[in-house]
Each structure stands twice: as C-alpha cells, then as structure tokens.
Amino acid sequence: IISTETQMRNFDLVSDEVLSRSKGFIRKFDVTKEGQDGPFYNVAIRAIVVKQAFVKDFEEALENLYRRVGKPRIMLVVQEIEAGKDAGDGTVKPDVALNVVEKEIRKILLKQGFTFVDARALTKGSLAEKAAKGANTGREAVLDNARTAKAEIVMLGRGRVGGKSMLQKFNVVEASVGLDVIRTDNGQVMASDVATGKGLHITEETAAFTALQKAADEITPKIMEQVSYQWIKERNEGHRIEMVVKNATYGDVLNLRKALGNAVKGVKKVRQKSFSEGVALLELESKDAAERVAESVFEAEFEGFKLKIEDVSATTLTVSMVKK
C-alpha cells in the first residue's frame, strides 16, 4: 500500500485489489535517483516498509472500506477465566474479572467508528434466566441475543490467565485470548485467531491485567484483517443472498427464477436450493447487497404476481408471493 491519498481518490478501481494483496505498507521513503531513460522514466527510492497487520497502522485507508459495508453493529462477549478453573461454570478470580479484553478491543474499534451493542445489559440477564431454566447458554444463545438486539456481528471469545512465575520480586503472568467473529444472520465465521501476552509487575493482579491487555492489542488487528479480507472478497466476487419465497407453487417458483434475472437489477444468477409446502429457498448471486436487492424487488414489475417484502438482513431476503 503506497499512500492513503491513492486509496481515497480511486477506491473503487484500486483499493480492493491493493488491500487484498498487500503484505505491508510504506511508512517513509526518499527518492535517491530519477531521470529519463529512452521511452522510460525511472525512479529509485529508499523506503521503510512495515510488514505487519496493516489494519493496526492503516486505519485511515480502511475507513472507506468500513463505510462501504455499513460498519455493522457489533456485540462483544469475552469471558475471562483463570487457568485451572472450569471454563464452563462462569467463575473467575475477582481481581482478574475486569473485562480487560472487552474494554481493550472496544477501545480500538470505537476509534474506527464501529457501533457496539451493550452485551452486558442485553445478554447477561437473559442468559442467566435461560440457565436457571436449564436452557442452552452457549454460542447459539449468544447469537440469538445478538439477533434480537439487531447486531450484525458477534465477537465471541475467551481470555485465559495462566503461566505464572516469579522473576526476582516480580510476578510474570502469561495470558491468551481466543476470538471468533460470527455473522448473526447466517452463522458464518468471518475470522478466528488466538494471541498471547505477558505481564510483569510486583502484584500478580496487575501483571494479569497487563498480559490480557497485550493479548487483546495483538489479536484485534489480526481479527480485523481477516474480516476486512472477507468484505473485500465479497465486494470483488459479488454477494450471495438467500431469498425465502412464501405462498408459492412450484410453477410460481420456476417463473420467478426466470423473472428475477430480468426484472431485478444486479442479479446475475438464481439457483433453487429447496421447495417444501409452498416455501422455496433461492440463492441469488448479485453485485448488490441484500438491502439494495430488496429495493429493486420492491420496485420490479412481475407478470401475474408481485413480491411483498417481509424481512431483510445482510444476507437474507424473505418475501411472500401475492397473485395479481
């Protein structure tokens, strides 16, 4: 990645390809030699090239990408536990249970303009209520809560403190953070990674705090790099949208499949995945996102029927067929 200016000036033509192939970016450069050589003009530079997760140090250039995908609302749920305790019982050492990882990740992404759903207010009470009734309180329960709160993405992870030792009078504590990024509408895992950090302090609690903080600082850009690549790939290759069609006969579905490509802007291919008891599931390949496709469906004129929009998410469009 050569310059932020190029990104912002020519984003549609250049940036997707540049971001998807970049292994680093130029932080500083000096021109050492330049001049005409026949039909060519040659420039030689001496440059400092930073080879690391570009998301961490290239936030301004990615701002445009995030804006184009609508900066999805995020629910962040990270459980912090002490090594040796049951990871499933929710118990943590009080001095360590400071939600360090959540706070650090949220701080980094808030700077990039993302919006967070308050997971603590929306999930803990409802999850505790479900647990009391013997219901599942794992990943699916968190995803259900995120869907209810209209969060498009869930960051679900665990911070683990362990590996304690002494260095003279100092406590050395190691921590790890594992994080998955999941789309709430279809359950797609967009990113998954693990990072570690080490803390050194006179008190064990502060050393643990520092270790978790460092692990969070390391994993956030790595995770967002993976998520960014998913968004770039989607923009380059187009969107796959599931369309649920209700109140339709099999013949209606056949007619609809033929009509969608002609009547709805942006739809390139239509595949039928299933049909049962008047409900069909179609897969659309479109250059536009589901929301834009829904607008085109709403405006389209079909012969003998119209489609009533019932629900729209990032990757799913639900319609019912109404005969004219």
Side-chain angles (χ1 to χ4, degrees):
I1 298 178
I2 299 171
S3 73
T4 306
E5 182 182 355
T6 301
Q7 296 272 331
M8 306 298 280
R9 184 177 65 246
N10 203 13
F11 196 90
D12 283 327
L13 297 178
V14 176
S15 184
D16 285 355
E17 182 72 12
V18 170
L19 286 174
S20 63
R21 295 181 179 274
S22 174
K23 300 298 182 184
F25 63 92
I26 295 174
R27 182 185 294 279
K28 179 182 178 181
F29 73 94
D30 296 308
V31 176
T32 59
K33 184 180 179 182
E34 61 179 314
Q36 188 81 20
D37 182 12
F40 302 102
Y41 192 87
N42 296 328
V43 179
I45 68 169
R46 177 179 288 108
I48 298 175
V49 181
V50 182
K51 295 179 66 176
Q52 59 182 342
F54 66 81
V55 176
K56 185 174 182 180
D57 291 303
F58 214 68
E59 295 176 359
E60 185 179 352
L62 287 172
E63 173 70 20
N64 230 359
L65 173 63
Y66 295 152
R67 185 160 51 247
R68 291 171 74 191
V69 298
K71 285 195 176 174
R73 285 159 52 92
I74 300 172
M75 176 176 282
L76 179 60
V77 181
V78 179
Q79 183 186 28
E80 294 174 13
I81 64 173
E82 184 181 3
K85 293 195 175 182
D86 185 356
D89 65 6
T91 59
V92 293
K93 185 174 179 179
D95 291 333
V96 176
L98 301 173
N99 305 309
V100 180
V101 178
E102 286 189 13
K103 290 177 181 177
E104 194 66 17
I105 294 173
R106 189 178 292 111
K107 181 183 73 174
I108 294 170
L109 295 184
L110 281 173
K111 288 182 180 179
Q112 296 182 2
F114 286 93
T115 302
F116 284 85
V117 174
D118 189 350
R120 206 153 304 283
L122 291 170
T123 63
K124 286 215 166 178
S126 55
L127 291 181
E129 189 176 315
K130 288 182 179 180
K133 296 178 181 178
N136 175 37
T137 58
R139 175 174 293 199
E140 283 305 316
V142 174
L143 287 173
D144 286 342
N145 278 273
R147 294 183 189 109
T148 301
K150 304 298 183 183
E152 290 89 3
I153 287 177
V154 169
M155 288 186 168
L156 185 62
R158 177 167 293 153
R160 189 174 183 87
V161 175
K164 301 171 185 176
S165 61
M166 297 295 297
L167 180 62
Q168 296 181 357
K169 295 182 179 181
F170 292 93
N171 290 277
V172 180
V173 177
E174 295 181 358
S176 63
V177 174
L179 200 63
D180 292 334
V181 180
I182 308 166
R183 294 180 70 146
T184 58
D185 54 357
N186 60 7
Q188 175 196 355
V189 178
M190 300 183 71
S192 183
D193 219 320
V194 178
T196 59
K198 185 177 290 187
L200 176 70
H201 200 269
I202 294 175
T203 66
E204 181 183 316
E205 291 77 11
T206 303
F209 183 101
T210 303
L212 285 169
Q213 193 174 46
K214 288 182 177 179
D217 286 343
E218 181 177 337
I219 199 171
T220 304
K222 292 166 66 176
I223 282 289
M224 291 311 297
E225 182 174 4
Q226 294 180 45
V227 171
S228 298
Y229 283 151
Q230 291 288 339
W231 284 331
I232 291 167
K233 182 179 178 182
E234 189 174 87
R235 291 203 62 84
N236 287 343
E237 298 180 358
H239 300 264
R240 291 184 182 271
I241 302 166
E242 289 191 342
M243 173 184 275
V244 179
V245 185
K246 300 180 179 179
N247 303 325
T249 66
Y250 190 77
D252 292 334
V253 175
L254 290 178
N255 292 331
L256 176 60
R257 286 169 55 189
K258 297 175 183 178
L260 281 172
N262 298 323
V264 180
K265 296 177 182 178
V267 174
K268 297 185 290 185
K269 291 183 180 179
V270 182
R271 301 183 186 89
Q272 183 174 323
K273 300 182 71 175
S274 66
F275 177 82
S276 177
E277 298 180 354
V279 179
L281 178 60
L282 306 179
E283 182 182 74
L284 313 182
E285 283 189 21
S286 172
K287 66 178 183 180
D288 296 321
E291 185 176 352
R292 184 65 62 84
V293 172
E295 293 174 3
S296 297
V297 168
F298 179 78
E299 297 171 353
E301 293 289 338
F302 299 100
E303 185 176 346
F305 65 90
K306 67 177 182 178
L307 297 179
K308 180 183 177 182
I309 309 295
E310 292 192 357
D311 187 63
V312 182
S313 71
T315 58
T316 306
L317 173 60
T318 303
V319 301
S320 59
M321 184 171 285
V322 180
K323 300 291 178 66
K324 291 182 180 179

